[in-house]
Amino acid sequence: DAKTTQPPSMDCAEGRAANLPCNHSTISGNEYVYWYRQIHSQGPQYIIHGLKNNETNEMASLIITEDRKSSTLILPHATLRDTAVYYCILNRDDKIIFGKGTRLHILP
Amino acid sequence: DTGVSQDPRHKITKRGQNVTFRCDPISEHNRLYWYRQTLGQGPEFLTYFQNEAQLEKSRLLSDRFSAERPKGSFSTLEIQRTEQGDSAMYLCASSTRDGRNSPLHFGNGTRLTVT
């Protein structure tokens, strides 16, 4: 079963930064933190991943605490198209196990 | 577009019939995964391949389910004697070699409805 804990839902105003938290207190040293999102009726979309250091790409930033027990996905300027379910996942073994994720609502 | 392709997008079948889905991964991705997703739940892992070898099967994959990847490229997932509980979205994903530091790229799935 999933080893991460996420709030079931969050709201964010359009144009503001969306900060999605994830707890993974039992993370192992070689497990990567991955974030995916799923827009209705589509397959999950990869967003970003990291091991220890903070990461940034064209979609988002990933902030991992120093003890690696939690992380935050940041969407810097949320738009209505960012409305989706966001999954925080630890990549162990050679497959990913999804939890229930956070349903992010972007409010106009 | 060189993303993961799944066919068909939708399939409606009667209980007891057999169905087969196809997945074409991203070219040169040697890992291929199958997931199943029901309404309101996250995707559930079913099985995965490294090239043509099936390396792991979930307990969710009953004897009625079989997956193949004969030449290490495309894959098929067959469900025999479908049941209403098989109604779900079936997702395929691919990645390069070692999955731990390689993101999975998903297709948009095949939605199966068993009547």
Side-chain angles (χ1 to χ4, degrees), chain A residues 31-104:
Chain A
E31 286 183 311
Y32 284 78
V33 180
Y34 274 75
W35 284 83
Y36 289 79
R37 72 180 182 184
Q38 189 171 24
I39 297 169
H40 183 62
S41 297
Q42 297 183 18
Q45 177 190 21
Y46 165 75
I47 301 173
I48 198 168
H49 75 286
L51 184 62
K52 296 180 181 178
N53 300 321
N54 298 336
E55 302 287 345
T56 296
N57 63 20
E58 65 278 5
M59 290 182 67
S61 295
L62 173 60
I63 308 298
I64 302 174
T65 57
E66 191 169 346
D67 63 7
R68 304 214 318 128
K69 292 186 177 181
S70 66
S71 61
T72 301
L73 178 74
I74 302 172
L75 307 177
H77 305 286
T79 71
L80 295 177
R81 289 179 295 179
D82 293 321
T83 294
V85 178
Y86 287 76
Y87 296 99
C88 169
I89 297 160
L90 302 184
N91 196 342
R92 59 191 172 101
D93 304 325
D94 286 320
K95 59 184 182 288
I96 57 173
I97 304 298
F98 287 84
K100 294 193 174 182
T102 295
R103 185 171 295 278
L104 177 66

Side-chain angles (χ1 to χ4, degrees), chain B:
Chain B
D1 181 53
T2 58
V4 176
S5 176
Q6 293 190 246
D7 184 69
R9 286 298 312 275
H10 303 276
K11 178 71 177 178
I12 300 174
T13 191
K14 292 185 177 180
R15 188 175 53 189
Q17 298 295 304
N18 299 342
V19 294
T20 300
F21 311 138
R22 176 179 171 123
C23 171
D24 287 90
I26 294 172
S27 180
E28 298 181 355
H29 275 192
N30 54 16
R31 292 247 170 140
L32 186 147
Y33 300 77
W34 285 100
Y35 285 79
R36 179 174 68 187
Q37 185 173 28
T38 53
L39 201 61
Q41 302 297 315
E44 298 171 299
F45 170 79
L46 293 179
T47 187
Y48 85 98
F49 294 82
Q50 168 92 11
N51 299 313
E52 65 274 11
Q54 190 172 17
L55 296 187
E56 187 171 346
K57 294 170 58 175
S58 165
R59 288 172 295 174
L60 294 173
L61 213 63
S62 76
D63 292 344
R64 297 184 297 105
F65 288 69
S66 62
E68 295 183 342
R69 195 182 182 198
K71 296 183 180 179
S73 56
F74 73 91
S75 175
T76 58
L77 178 67
E78 181 183 17
I79 308 174
Q80 296 181 328
R81 305 181 302 281
T82 52
E83 302 172 356
Q84 287 188 320
D86 297 331
S87 295
M89 175 78 85
Y90 290 84
L91 294 161
C92 177
S94 69
S95 74
T96 58
R97 41 171 187 77
D98 180 358
R100 191 168 300 168
N101 191 21
S102 299
L104 268 62
H105 297 270
F106 284 82
N108 283 326
T110 293
R111 181 167 296 284
L112 173 67
T113 302
V114 181
T115 61

